[in-house]
């Protein structure tokens, strides 16, 4: 702690919005727990800012991988089965730059929130320590995947590893992490999600909130959320769902489409929506108030992103999943289906008929909402932050001796 402030370095890579979102959530929790400001937190996309080609292009290339799942599958499984050559190659090519960046900040605690920020940072920290440049900081992994996780998240040399679910705990255990290293609270989520909702169907979404969001009050409401980057076949899903609801429950339903950063889809939907009679449709771009929209809705359609699913669980929102990336997101589908708060289909027609049936079955909605709340973890962010601060304080005390 150079200027009297303790330093926390949070490592992410902006492949999707979830890693940084989790880091920001933890930063907020840390600062809430330490209002006197003695902790400095830096969130860093270390691969984009300090990696060499092609690693510095991973974040920029992520939307391409999502659009072409076979490329994702190739990257995911090849990195799973050819781990050692990858680890060695990245050490040789990126080690020096990572070393400089970490020693410049000289953190007391490093928190990794990405599967590719375990091996190399740990290696670099060990060599900085042995060269006498920087005493090895404490190191924690916070896994931001939900229903399954790539093995490279889990490396034995960490001081603590936070997992969000039983399924991810099993992967960590298989990789040799011990019971004392693994801690299970849930996924870190933004402050708006630190309190769970009432069960749907027991209490109706508040009319006042709907009005504030520009929605009609007395209608069953389907929320459709694209990923933070707007990935997924959003347009087709919104259109098919709106038409089905107009047929099945005329003038009794509305669809809110959050298009994220996908401006093209937002424009296309906006130009078509007046043609859909018997259903109300609202189109939104990227919003920072997803929590309010989830509170106002009766059910959700989304891709199988871990953050969105964890948020939906906290809002007690029945969830229809429309797509998933190969690999870790398949586990997210299992998480929703096995825990009884939703279903999965990639086919817009099936998605539309499923949510239409849900909206016409109050008892079913209530049951799914209750099941979602059962697995909700609104306190996870705070609990993880408490443990991280404990690690930080212990490290600083030890270093001072
Ligand atoms: N999100 C948001 N505003 C939007 C669209 C999405 O805040 O307009 C958030 C969403 O609530 C979630 C995150 O973006 O927290 C997406 O993370 P997720 O893990 O679901 O998917 P990823 O993009 O990381 O694959």
């Amino acid at each position: 702690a150079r200027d009297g402030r303790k330093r926390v370095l949070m490592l992410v890579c902006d492949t999707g919005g979830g890693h940084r979102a989790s880091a920001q959530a933890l930063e907020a929790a840390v600062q809430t727990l330490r209002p006197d400001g003695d902790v400095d937190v830096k969130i860093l996309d270390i691969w984009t800012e300090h990696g060499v080609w092609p690693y510095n292009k991973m974040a920029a290339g992520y939307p391409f991988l999502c659009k072409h799942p076979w490329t994702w599958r190739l990257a995911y499984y090849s990195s799973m089965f050819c781990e050692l050559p990858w680890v060695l190659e990245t050490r040789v090519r990126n080690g020096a730059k990572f070393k400089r960046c970490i020693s410049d900040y000289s953190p007391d605690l490093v928190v990794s929130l990405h599967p590719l920020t375990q091996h190399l940072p740990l290696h670099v920290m060990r060599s900085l320590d042995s060269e006498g440049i920087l005493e090895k900081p404490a190191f924690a992994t916070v896994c931001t995947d939900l229903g399954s996780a790539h093995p490279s998240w889990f490396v034995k040399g960490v001081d603590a590893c936070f997992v969000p679910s039983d399924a991810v705990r099993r992967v960590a255990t298989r990789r040799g992490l011990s019971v004392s290293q693994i801690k299970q609270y849930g996924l870190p989520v933004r402050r708006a999600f630190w309190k769970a909702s009432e069960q749907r169907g027991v209490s109706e979404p508040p009319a006042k909130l709907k009005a504030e969001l520009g929605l009609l009050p007395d209608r069953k409401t389907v929320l459709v959320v694209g990923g933070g980057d707007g990935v997924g076949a959003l347009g087709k899903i919104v259109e098919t769902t709106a038409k089905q609801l107009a047929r099945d429950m005329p003038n009794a339903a509305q669809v809110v489409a959050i298009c994220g950063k996908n401006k093209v889809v937002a424009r296309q939907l906006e130009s078509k929506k007046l043609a859909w009679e018997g259903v109300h449709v609202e189109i939104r771009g990227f919003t920072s108030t997803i929590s309010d929209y989830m509170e106002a809705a009766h059910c959700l359609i989304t891709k199988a992103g871990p953050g969105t699913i964890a948020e939906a669980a906290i809002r007690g929102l029945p969830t229809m999943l429309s797509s998933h990336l190969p690999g870790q997101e398949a586990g997210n589908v299992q998480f929703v289906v096995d825990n009884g708060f939703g279903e999965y289909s990639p086919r817009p027609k099936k998605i539309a008929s499923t949510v239409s049936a849900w909206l016409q079955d109050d008892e079913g909605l209530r049951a799914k909402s209750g099941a979602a709340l059962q697995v909700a973890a609104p306190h996870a962010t705070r609990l993880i932050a408490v443990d991280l601060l404990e690690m930080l304080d212990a490290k600083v005390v030890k270093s001072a001796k």
Side-chain angles (χ1 to χ4, degrees), residues 84-151:
L84 190 61
W86 179 81
V87 167
L88 295 176
E89 197 256 356
T90 51
R91 267 186 203 178
V92 172
R93 296 190 57 222
N94 299 276
K97 289 181 86 180
F98 272 44
K99 230 170 162 173
R100 210 170 314 125
C101 143
I102 291 179
S103 65
D104 279 354
Y105 185 67
S106 63
D108 303 295
L109 168 69
V110 174
V111 183
S112 159
L113 296 108
H114 195 277
L116 301 183
T117 48
Q118 267 61 230
H119 281 105
L120 189 55
L122 270 171
H123 170 73
V124 162
M125 282 159 42
R126 272 193 293 265
S127 60
L128 284 170
D129 194 346
S130 67
E131 289 162 26
I133 299 172
L134 173 74
E135 191 182 323
K136 188 175 164 295
F139 190 100
T141 296
V142 178
C143 178
T144 65
D145 278 326
L146 186 60
S148 178
H150 193 283

Side-chain angles (χ1 to χ4, degrees), residues 16-18 62 190 226-228 258 260 285-287 290 303 305-308 311 329:
Y62 180 74
R190 278 167 291 171
I258 309 279
F286 187 85
T287 170
I290 285 274
K303 74 168 193 106
T308 310
E311 292 164 0
E329 283 197 354

Side-chain angles (χ1 to χ4, degrees), residues 55-319:
Y55 302 104
N56 57 355
K57 299 290 176 215
M58 283 190 294
Y62 180 74
F64 177 86
L65 293 181
C66 293
K67 267 194 211 115
H68 305 277
W70 69 268
T71 56
W72 176 266
R73 194 174 283 121
L74 185 70
Y76 190 87
Y77 290 105
S78 62
S79 55
M80 204 156 161
F81 296 113
C82 305
E83 194 176 10
L84 190 61
W86 179 81
V87 167
L88 295 176
E89 197 256 356
T90 51
R91 267 186 203 178
V92 172
R93 296 190 57 222
N94 299 276
K97 289 181 86 180
F98 272 44
K99 230 170 162 173
R100 210 170 314 125
C101 143
I102 291 179
S103 65
D104 279 354
Y105 185 67
S106 63
D108 303 295
L109 168 69
V110 174
V111 183
S112 159
L113 296 108
H114 195 277
L116 301 183
T117 48
Q118 267 61 230
H119 281 105
L120 189 55
L122 270 171
H123 170 73
V124 162
M125 282 159 42
R126 272 193 293 265
S127 60
L128 284 170
D129 194 346
S130 67
E131 289 162 26
I133 299 172
L134 173 74
E135 191 182 323
K136 188 175 164 295
F139 190 100
T141 296
V142 178
C143 178
T144 65
D145 278 326
L146 186 60
S148 178
H150 193 283
S152 66
W153 275 105
F154 308 107
V155 174
K156 282 189 203 162
V158 301
D159 299 300
C161 175
F162 296 86
V163 298
S165 66
D166 293 339
V168 174
R169 169 187 284 273
R170 282 194 290 277
V171 186
T173 308
R174 268 204 303 278
R175 290 278 288 185
L177 268 70
S178 67
V179 174
S180 63
Q181 281 171 306
I182 303 175
K183 293 160 194 282
Q184 184 174 341
Y185 299 122
L187 210 66
V189 284
R190 278 167 291 171
R191 189 188 296 274
F193 291 96
W194 293 356
K195 189 166 178 290
S197 295
E198 303 282 319
Q199 193 172 352
R200 285 310 121 102
V202 173
S203 75
E204 270 298 293
K208 185 163 164 274
L209 179 65
K210 281 192 179 172
E212 276 166 20
L213 297 172
L215 308 178
L216 300 181
D218 298 317
R219 295 208 176 196
K220 285 279 162 57
T221 304
V222 181
L223 180 66
V224 190
V225 178
D229 294 327
V231 179
L234 200 65
K236 183 87 187 136
I237 291 168
V238 172
E239 192 170 349
T240 314
T241 304
K243 286 181 179 164
Q244 175 101 30
L245 292 174
R247 271 197 307 275
D248 293 354
M249 36 196 312
N251 299 316
Q254 66 189 328
V255 179
V256 189
I258 309 279
C259 300
K261 294 183 179 141
N262 197 332
K263 293 202 177 92
V264 177
V265 173
R267 260 200 310 276
Q268 280 169 353
L269 286 171
E270 198 64 56
S271 70
K272 285 183 187 172
K273 76 174 188 189
L274 291 176
W276 303 325
E277 274 175 40
V279 62
H280 185 73
V281 179
E282 287 287 338
I283 317 289
R284 301 281 184 274
F286 187 85
T287 170
S288 53
T289 53
I290 285 274
S291 171
D292 290 341
Y293 282 100
M294 286 189 174
E295 185 69 42
H298 291 83
C299 73
L300 171 71
I301 303 173
T302 185
K303 74 168 193 106
T308 310
I309 292 172
E311 292 164 0
I314 291 170
R315 290 282 152 272
L317 208 53
T319 298

